[in-house]
Amino acid sequence: MTWLDSGIRAFLLAQGTAARWLREELASLKVRIRLTDGCIEELARAADHAARRAAGEGASYADLLREQIGVQANWVRRWTTTDEKTPGDDPVAQDFVRIARNYALPRPWKLSEPVAVARLQPAWTWAADFFPPQAAAH
């Protein structure tokens, strides 16, 4: 990262631009879940970290940050609209899962289709060995 990119990074982070961009991106993706300020800031820090890692590839830091903000917003949209599993070998996905669980981001639950089950034994077999005490004969 060049000294100019370092200065731009400091300015963007000081102004809270990454958090604002993330909120705007979430709104454009129509994410209805309200995120806390702490969650937004942590997602913005994760985007900043990813942008700094990719900064040596020739693109400007601001462009990389904007791209990583989009990645984070897409993760939030996927997390809050589907219950698909995240890849276990993707460190970006695992970092997002850690943040999502830390801030208890909700997930939809896919209910399985009801299926009739044929039982060979009655369901009350757990009490098959129970015999009530006999009433004493008078």
Side-chain angles (χ1 to χ4, degrees):
M1 185 161 38
T2 66
W3 64 271
L4 181 61
D5 280 338
S6 295
I8 290 172
R9 176 182 177 264
F11 179 74
L12 290 176
L13 294 178
Q15 295 295 319
T17 304
R20 183 173 45 83
W21 284 351
L22 182 57
R23 287 188 191 279
E24 290 170 0
E25 189 70 26
L26 289 170
S28 73
L29 292 174
K30 295 181 175 50
V31 174
R32 302 278 184 237
I33 303 299
R34 293 197 52 141
L35 302 177
T36 64
D37 291 338
C39 182
I40 292 284
E41 290 170 10
E42 193 159 349
L43 290 168
R45 278 193 300 272
D48 168 58
H49 184 67
R52 280 187 296 153
R53 277 196 318 256
E57 298 174 4
S60 72
Y61 170 79
D63 292 339
L64 292 170
L65 179 63
R66 191 72 148 165
E67 178 184 319
Q68 293 302 319
I69 290 288
V71 169
Q72 293 295 331
N74 279 321
W75 274 114
V76 171
R77 183 185 51 77
R78 270 181 63 190
W79 183 267
T80 58
T81 58
T82 68
D83 66 345
E84 66 187 57
K85 293 188 184 246
T86 56
D89 59 345
D90 184 3
V92 175
Q94 292 308 310
D95 191 39
F96 174 78
V97 168
R98 181 191 56 78
I99 294 169
R101 288 182 177 158
N102 190 28
Y103 288 95
L105 294 183
R107 291 200 83 179
W109 292 91
K110 189 183 302 180
L111 299 176
S112 62
E113 294 294 321
V115 177
V117 176
R119 296 185 187 264
L120 299 176
Q121 298 179 357
W124 58 84
T125 57
W126 60 271
D129 295 333
F130 175 74
F131 298 104
Q134 298 293 328
H138 290 287

